[in-house]
Amino acid sequence: MGPRWLSCPQIWSLWLLLVSCSYAFYLPGYSIKRYNDDESIPLLVNKIFSDNTQLQYAYYDLPFVCPPSGRTHGGSPFGSGQSVSQNLGEILRGDRIMTSDFELHMGQNAECRALCTREIERKDVKWGRQLIREGYVAEWIADNLPGATSFVTVDRTRKYYASGFKLGYQEFSPVDGKLRYFINNHFTIVIRWRAAPEGGKTVVGFEVYPKSISAKEHGENGCPEHVHDEHEGLELYIPPNIERLREKYPGSSYLPEDDDYDDGAKLKVPITYSVYFKEENGVDWWSRWDLYFSKQDDSTMTHWLAVLNSLTISGVLGVAVYVIWNRTVQGDIKGRGDGAMDEGKARRSGARKEGLLDQTTDVEREGDLSSDDEGIEDVSGWKLLHGDVFRVPEFSGLLAPLVGSGMQLFFMASGLLILSCLGILNPSFRGGFVSVGMGLFVFAGVFSGYFSGSLYKTFGGVSWRKNTLITALFFPGLAFCLIFILNLFVWAQASSTAIPFPTLIGIVLLWLVIQVPLVYAGSWYGFMRAKPWEHPTKTSSIPRQIPPQPWYLHSVQGTILTGLAPFAVLFIELLFVFKNLWQDKSGYYYVFGFLSAVTTILMITVSEVTIIATYSQLCAENYHWWWQSFLTGGSSAFWVFAYCIWYYYFHLHITGFVSSLLFFSYSFLACAVYGLLTGTVGFLTAYAFIRRIYSSVKVD
């Protein structure tokens, strides 16, 4: 059985209708946590992150925060500093969630509580200044809600949240104009709650307002007086030791003030917090995440324009495919489908046997011969390749595994989009998108093996076990090697972005113990039990000579140009995805209804472009369409990567070699995944198209 379902317009139309009408709504879970008065609300600390770098750090790795005391709070069996159980996606995204010493009890306000006083050295001050300069923000979690910074729109009609709060701020000194750095050491925690109909109270908002207060303004109890008044900030600054610097830099006229030479000097950082509970009846528990998404409401019209732009491009290409199919292909099939070439050859040979006298006297016959010659010219295109069009391509042992891996990615991406549109994958399911994606990729190995084995059998291969190993190990192995090498650079930076070694071992076990057997099972069924995909024509023993080709049909430039149309369908929505991935990490991308619609139109556009390019290639009597259709389908990946480069230089402010390396490496990996998926869609579409048109042409 061949991939006929890819060419079925009813399936594509139904899927487009479903995703076009779907809006990604929030399905937060199946149980609501209700708190009674005075009941403890655990506050968890996670990590710090920045839009200007790809390196994250665990919150408790910071030298200017209170280390966990290990004490239990609110009757919890776990002491502070205990790691919370996390799924695979949370670990891969750099989360390091731990319990803390912050005490929150439902309904109990606290004007000020002292947590600890931390003393930091010069090197810690220098690192803190660097983190503030790079715009790092901290993330806390309460009742599965990230601590948020509250904002109001310009017209002051709507409130929205940004996840996290800043570690500190910087300002220029009015005296000498130098840049000064201040650390936030007091945190006002606001818990917004609403009474539940079944009793108790539910948390519908978690806000954190940080503030910097100088150490000299703190009293004996560790808290400053009138904590909410204006205070002098706590500057991250230790006066330089001039004598030490002169010894270290003898004879130098310039003594660097930011030298981190350890001379025993310390800076005291007292850390305090306030807690307030406020009733909020305007927000329901089921919609409490909406404030994190409300900033995206202003871009709704842009998303609709992206869908309209995609439909326009796909519609124009669809008209071209319609013309090819109805006026050219079906016209050839109806007019000269049965033995047309043989009849044309017979008439031409008969015309050549006639004498000169007959040709000059019989004008009517000359007109008939002219008509026959025109018919021969029409037939002399794609139909002449009936004996070569299904000839096994070069490197078929690589093409089959790539198509299998592409189908594996296709089923994974489809599952993620469907679950996201249904609201099952949502921000409250922290790390769920990555975890479910990994699970779908592993279990989709059975489809990878089936398509790879079936195609390999169609190519006439015999070493199906070798093909199975290549399918199961080639693409996942290359991706794992790249991630492992990048992980070494991140490990050297002591960042929480680094994947822990036990997690790497777990990923390898998922790959080798679960995915490889599934690929083997699918490949065994596709090769041993399923029939090979049948071809409507027989392949001749002698390959046909290919005439000279136009530049756009055989050059790399021509293949790359075919990717412009799919990229034009995608690039507007891609801008929003990039913004949330790289530029606005405190926000959440949650418009999967639009993304699903654009993705579906993208797949249709890739199919249309591949059909047009493949038909043009066949009309030029070039039967090497196998690899060409795969490369044509995936050619838009080149433009996506070029878009990544453009976005890096004109929109991002990433600093540091490791962060830049991570950006370009992960962008390249994402484009490779995208190109493999779209290349597979293009290949299977071209395959179905060619089998269909040649099945309607009978050649004796």
Side-chain angles (χ1 to χ4, degrees), residues 96-114:
R96 300 295 182 266
I97 304 175
M98 296 182 179
T99 56
S100 72
D101 287 308
F102 291 92
E103 295 186 11
L104 281 66
H105 298 274
M106 176 59 75
Q108 289 188 6
N109 295 334
E111 184 176 358
C112 182
R113 289 175 181 168

Side-chain angles (χ1 to χ4, degrees), residues 82-96:
Q82 294 291 322
S83 296
V84 177
S85 178
Q86 301 177 68
N87 57 47
L88 180 60
E90 289 176 306
I91 297 175
L92 293 180
R93 67 194 292 263
D95 287 352
R96 300 295 182 266

